[in-house]
Amino acid sequence: MGAQPTFVIVGAGLAGAKAAESLRTEGFKGRILLFGEEPERPYERPALSKSFLQGLSERAKIYVHSRQWYADHDIELHTSTRVAAIDRPGRQVQLAGGERITYDKLLLATGASPRELPDAGSHSVYYLRRIEDCLQLRFAFTTARRVAIIGGGWIGLEVAAAARAANVEVVLLERGEVPLLRLLGRETADVFARLHRAHGVDLRTGAHLRHIITNADGRATGVQLDDGSRVEADLVVVGVGALPNTSLAEEAGLLVDNGVKVDEHLRTSDPDIFAAGDVANAFHPMLGRHIRIEHWFNALSQPAVAARSMMGLEASYDEVPYFYSDQYQLGMEYSGHVGPGGYDQVIFRGDKDALEFVVFWLKDHKVLAGMNVNIWDVTEAIKDLVRSGLKVDGAKLADAAIPLPDVLADAAGNNGRH
């Protein structure tokens, strides 16, 4: 690659910033260019639907690094800059203004964008992804009487909690039988439904949107459902999932399938191009298949592997999937992954009604995932159980008096047999 290779990172979010940091930490001495479309320097997004949306955290705390950090580490950060195309044969990226930059290695950290509803162009319909989205929504909460939230996923639920904290009435519209049903299953998803109803949320399940109602000025005034009912609202928030930003990769002819497809080293179908974060559909050695994860921990952790791989060092990404959420008085962490085969057993330890418990999803007596709710310092023990692939004693797993490391030790001692 020559004495001073050039590494280009497209996407100046958490993943892009951590990749640049990891390159310098690993001793890369070449040129690093970091391009981002937003005017902001790289920041972390979780607070946008949690503490920052509620005005509980300062703006300065969401940034990955100080502005000076980039200069101090000789990282060329270009904000408000869109990369328009990748020229793979020429190993160049073309900027929207026409400038072309030659790279030795390229990292795509382009993230994901909210899935938008068709014909929902009203200026009081909100999506939550960027700082400006959060600031606009936070301001809207100061004058709104009622908000209609479409979608009962994590974003919808966290926005509902923030709205209630601002004393705004909430109508939460979920297509399924209960929010988070596909992810958590009936036994655990009901916890979140009860939580939000207890805090005054009008949670309507089996709700299918027909269209958003607007006035003559194009402002949203509510939603119309398929059953003929109407929900009046001062603003509408849409949280119906996200789509990976793969257009650059697709146009460059890279392999794309629910994200940019990469191996465990985060290398794409082009050996000089890598991908990390929300946009990457990565092969996971523990799971034995590809998986794309749109959560903070992934964007935080994958870039170190991408950086080492770009430098020709050995590295593979095999972290146990992890995410967290805060809603009202409930804080939770989820570790693991329940794949397409699903689970055949759910085990609780602790007090579900008091919102102090850990729940495990198992198949063939093996722990696939665990979620701790208002119980802390158990995440690593849960991850160890997931990693082990051992059969565990369900009665001991349910017994809160038995530490989780002891449950694992027992499973190892029995070689996974009961």
Side-chain angles (χ1 to χ4, degrees):
M1 292 186 297
Q4 290 295 322
T6 296
F7 285 5
V8 170
I9 302 170
V10 182
L14 174 59
K18 295 303 286 187
E21 176 187 320
S22 295
L23 285 169
R24 290 298 186 226
T25 300
E26 292 289 347
F28 179 68
K29 303 298 184 183
R31 188 183 183 196
I32 300 175
L33 293 95
L34 176 58
F35 295 103
E37 293 189 22
E38 294 187 55
E40 303 286 341
R41 69 182 187 272
Y43 59 89
E44 302 190 37
R45 300 186 192 275
L48 301 188
S49 59
K50 302 178 181 74
S51 58
F52 189 62
L53 181 58
Q54 295 185 40
L56 301 176
S57 61
E58 299 175 8
R59 180 167 181 159
K61 291 184 177 180
I62 71 174
Y63 293 102
V64 184
H65 303 108
S66 69
R67 192 177 306 278
Q68 185 61 37
W69 182 90
Y70 297 94
D72 290 345
H73 291 82
D74 197 20
I75 293 165
E76 302 173 43
L77 173 62
H78 299 268
T79 57
S80 302
T81 304
R82 183 173 68 87
V83 174
I86 301 169
D87 173 6
R88 287 172 54 199
R91 299 215 305 196
Q92 293 182 327
V93 295
Q94 180 178 325
L95 307 185
E99 182 182 357
R100 298 175 76 90
I101 308 291
T102 300
Y103 64 82
D104 291 284
K105 300 292 181 185
L106 172 66
L107 175 66
L108 300 178
T110 48
S113 296
R115 188 188 299 271
E116 296 188 6
L117 296 178
D119 304 320
S122 166
H123 55 80
S124 52
V125 175
Y126 295 82
Y127 298 87
L128 187 56
R129 181 68 182 179
R130 300 184 171 193
I131 285 181
E132 59 261 37
D133 301 330
C134 179
L135 292 173
Q136 290 171 7
L137 187 56
R138 192 166 78 177
F139 178 76
F141 283 166
T142 64
T143 57
R145 181 181 64 87
R146 176 188 291 171
V147 56
I149 300 175
I150 302 170
W154 294 114
I155 292 294
L157 295 177
E158 290 172 0
V159 170
R164 293 301 298 132
N167 293 315
V168 178
E169 294 179 17
V170 176
V171 181
L172 181 59
L173 304 170
E174 164 59 33
R175 291 174 62 93
E177 298 175 39
V178 64
L180 307 175
L181 180 61
R182 290 182 60 190
L183 176 65
L184 302 182
R186 169 70 68 179
E187 303 89 345
T188 311
D190 281 336
V191 170
F192 290 87
R194 291 197 302 270
L195 173 71
H196 281 268
R197 285 177 170 139
H199 282 83
V201 172
D202 180 0
L203 171 59
R204 305 186 189 183
T205 57
H208 293 259
L209 177 72
R210 181 175 295 172
H211 62 262
I212 293 174
I213 303 167
T214 58
N215 62 18
D217 297 326
R219 176 174 294 277
T221 58
V223 298
Q224 176 88 43
L225 303 180
D226 275 353
D227 64 5
S229 63
R230 294 166 60 101
V231 176
E232 306 295 330
D234 303 300
L235 59 144
V236 175
V237 178
V238 179
V240 292
L243 297 171
N245 295 324
T246 58
S247 59
L248 266 180
E250 289 180 60
E251 291 165 8
L254 296 175
L255 186 58
V256 171
D257 179 13
N258 183 31
V260 180
K261 209 159 185 181
V262 295
D263 60 18
E264 64 269 35
H265 312 297
L266 303 183
R267 183 181 292 108
T268 71
S269 51
D270 183 318
D272 293 323
I273 303 179
F274 300 76
D278 291 0
V279 76
N281 184 2
F283 181 80
H284 198 292
M286 184 187 76
L287 300 173
R289 62 185 183 83
H290 282 78
I291 181 174
R292 189 176 70 84
I293 301 173
E294 294 175 1
H295 291 294
W296 164 85
F297 182 74
N298 213 49
L300 178 73
S301 305
Q302 273 191 347
V305 172
R308 286 183 60 85
S309 297
M310 292 169 76
M311 294 173 64
L313 303 174
E314 182 59 35
S316 63
Y317 189 74
D318 60 356
E319 291 281 352
V320 174
Y322 166 92
F323 64 89
Y324 72 96
S325 182
D326 297 307
Q327 300 167 36
Y328 312 108
Q329 77 275 25
L330 183 152
M332 56 74 69
E333 299 172 287
Y334 181 105
S335 304
H337 180 74
V338 180
Y343 59 92
D344 56 24
Q345 189 179 14
V346 176
I347 293 178
F348 288 88
R349 68 156 47 198
D351 191 335
K352 185 165 71 166
D353 293 334
L355 297 181
E356 292 185 1
F357 66 91
V358 184
V359 56
F360 299 93
W361 291 264
L362 296 86
K363 187 169 186 179
D364 299 329
H365 304 286
K366 299 175 183 180
V367 177
L368 301 178
M371 183 176 77
N372 47 302
V373 174
N374 292 336
I375 292 178
W376 308 110
D377 301 322
V378 295
T379 297
E380 289 307 315
I382 293 172
K383 288 184 176 182
D384 288 343
L385 283 165
V386 172
R387 283 193 197 96
S388 75
L390 295 173
K391 293 184 177 182
V392 300
D393 185 323
K396 293 180 178 179
L397 190 63
D399 188 344
I402 301 176
L404 290 177
D406 291 354
V407 176
L408 178 58
D410 175 75
N414 290 310
N415 196 26
R417 295 189 300 271
H418 294 292

